[in-house]
Amino acid sequence: MTIEREKIHIWDIPIDRVDRTQAMAIFDELIAKPGVSMIVTPNSEIIMNASKDEDLADLIREAELVIPDGIGLVYASKFLGKPLHERVTGIDFADAALARLAKEGRSAYFLGSKPDAGNGVSVAKLAGEKKMAEHPGLVVSGARDGYFKPEDEAAIVADINASGAELLLVALGSPKQEKFIRKHRDELVNVKAAIGVGGSLDVWAGTLKRAPEFYQKHGLEWLYRLIQEPSRYKRMAAIPLFMLKVVVTKGRKKNGN
Ligand code: UDP
């Protein structure tokens, strides 16, 4: 049975109105059906980019599950009168997906992040080892870094297929990771679901610190990241600009913009 979906739309970009439990129920459904499902976890910065990048907007429309990963989206949905239940962070969702696979001894492939975590091992491989230790039963059957050339992509796809992995986590930053997934989804043989996970592999490997719980609970992860990496201030401006644009356009497309 297919789960009924409720969606909100911001500038013609659909977002699933799901909480954590509903998102996981949909994940279960997606990994039980044939074909590769794309799961995207947009925040306000990604939705802003999608409003200017038709390719990215189309990709989000095509995705089988669109999880609201950002406090900006929660505020915007309230303003638009169809409040999202909660923010479902991509990193927590990906972790829950790994825990789900672990129960059945299924496998995942980690692609992306730096080739060296500081000890000669790639961030992806280290994150894989940590997750296997954390979720007994989980098999991370392949891992490779995210610094490759376009001509390496065929070999990477072959490696993912040879690994037998059913879940593919791609950490190349957005929208590179989402575009990589869409480009290759039809070539993936065993993969049931693919998710772009941004900096998650860095957090799992321990090379990037996640915001303390206080910041997470109050929707202030952006503030923590700003304190850690002040050079990100330009990107951070995406949240207020996003809110301003939502208020001005009431979340609707205007003059084709
Ligand atoms: N990354 C990568 N290849 C690239 C660019 C980035 O593997 O060509 C990795 C980077 O090392 C990091 C992850 O992608 O682990 C997310 O990068 P960033 O923090 O820029 O992404 P965002 O904040 O947009 O999720």
Side-chain angles (χ1 to χ4, degrees), residues 156-226:
I156 293 172
V157 170
D159 192 45
I160 297 167
N161 285 336
S163 78
E166 291 181 273
L167 176 66
L168 172 63
L169 301 187
V170 185
L172 302 174
S174 182
K176 207 169 172 183
Q177 56 197 21
E178 287 80 16
K179 291 186 177 179
F180 178 92
I181 291 169
R182 183 166 63 173
K183 183 172 170 199
H184 295 293
R185 72 188 288 186
D186 294 338
E187 300 154 33
L188 298 169
V189 179
N190 308 296
V191 173
K192 298 265 178 256
I195 318 175
V197 293
S200 302
L201 302 186
D202 293 292
V203 172
W204 294 340
T207 49
L208 183 75
K209 248 175 83 192
R210 200 175 170 195
E213 218 166 292
F214 168 83
Y215 291 87
Q216 292 181 37
K217 224 169 117 193
H218 297 280
L220 293 173
E221 269 177 297
W222 60 270
L223 177 63
Y224 182 79
R225 273 196 102 169
L226 186 61

Side-chain angles (χ1 to χ4, degrees), residues 83-123:
L84 287 163
H85 303 288
E86 61 180 343
R87 171 184 181 212
V88 182
T89 62
I91 187 169
D92 291 331
F93 175 83
D95 187 52
L98 292 172
R100 195 55 60 92
L101 292 190
K103 280 195 183 156
E104 294 165 14
R106 296 166 82 172
S107 58
Y109 191 104
F110 289 6
L111 171 66
S113 301
K114 300 228 159 65
D116 186 358
N119 50 5
V121 175
S122 72
V123 168

Side-chain angles (χ1 to χ4, degrees), residues 19-252:
D19 60 19
R20 274 159 244 246
T21 314
Q22 291 162 329
M24 279 316 294
I26 294 168
F27 177 75
D28 280 343
E29 207 172 77
L30 295 178
I31 57 166
K33 73 180 186 95
V36 183
S37 292
M38 284 198 301
I39 300 173
V40 290
T41 66
N43 55 17
S44 27
E45 188 186 357
I46 295 176
I47 297 293
M48 272 291 257
N49 290 342
S51 74
K52 292 172 254 163
D53 175 349
E54 204 45 43
D55 224 33
L56 179 59
D58 276 346
L59 183 156
I60 300 174
R61 287 183 199 113
E62 256 177 53
E64 277 73 15
L65 177 59
V66 184
I67 294 172
D69 177 3
I71 200 68
L73 297 188
V74 175
Y75 292 147
S77 67
K78 279 189 188 150
F79 174 79
L80 297 173
K82 218 174 170 188
L84 287 163
H85 303 288
E86 61 180 343
R87 171 184 181 212
V88 182
T89 62
I91 187 169
D92 291 331
F93 175 83
D95 187 52
L98 292 172
R100 195 55 60 92
L101 292 190
K103 280 195 183 156
E104 294 165 14
R106 296 166 82 172
S107 58
Y109 191 104
F110 289 6
L111 171 66
S113 301
K114 300 228 159 65
D116 186 358
N119 50 5
V121 175
S122 72
V123 168
K125 190 158 193 304
L126 188 58
E129 283 163 9
K130 297 232 166 145
K131 283 292 144 184
M132 284 193 281
E134 203 179 307
H135 301 302
L138 174 70
V139 184
V140 178
S141 54
R144 76 149 288 161
D145 69 81
Y147 293 84
F148 49 80
K149 297 194 189 77
E151 55 266 34
D152 300 329
E153 291 184 18
I156 293 172
V157 170
D159 192 45
I160 297 167
N161 285 336
S163 78
E166 291 181 273
L167 176 66
L168 172 63
L169 301 187
V170 185
L172 302 174
S174 182
K176 207 169 172 183
Q177 56 197 21
E178 287 80 16
K179 291 186 177 179
F180 178 92
I181 291 169
R182 183 166 63 173
K183 183 172 170 199
H184 295 293
R185 72 188 288 186
D186 294 338
E187 300 154 33
L188 298 169
V189 179
N190 308 296
V191 173
K192 298 265 178 256
I195 318 175
V197 293
S200 302
L201 302 186
D202 293 292
V203 172
W204 294 340
T207 49
L208 183 75
K209 248 175 83 192
R210 200 175 170 195
E213 218 166 292
F214 168 83
Y215 291 87
Q216 292 181 37
K217 224 169 117 193
H218 297 280
L220 293 173
E221 269 177 297
W222 60 270
L223 177 63
Y224 182 79
R225 273 196 102 169
L226 186 61
I227 298 165
Q228 299 279 306
E229 299 171 70
S231 59
R232 289 179 77 98
Y233 78 92
K234 268 198 192 136
R235 292 181 55 181
M236 297 287 165
I239 302 174
L241 285 176
F242 167 78
M243 278 313 297
L244 186 68
K245 192 167 164 180
V246 167
V247 171
V248 171
T249 62
K250 296 198 167 57
R252 285 192 290 269

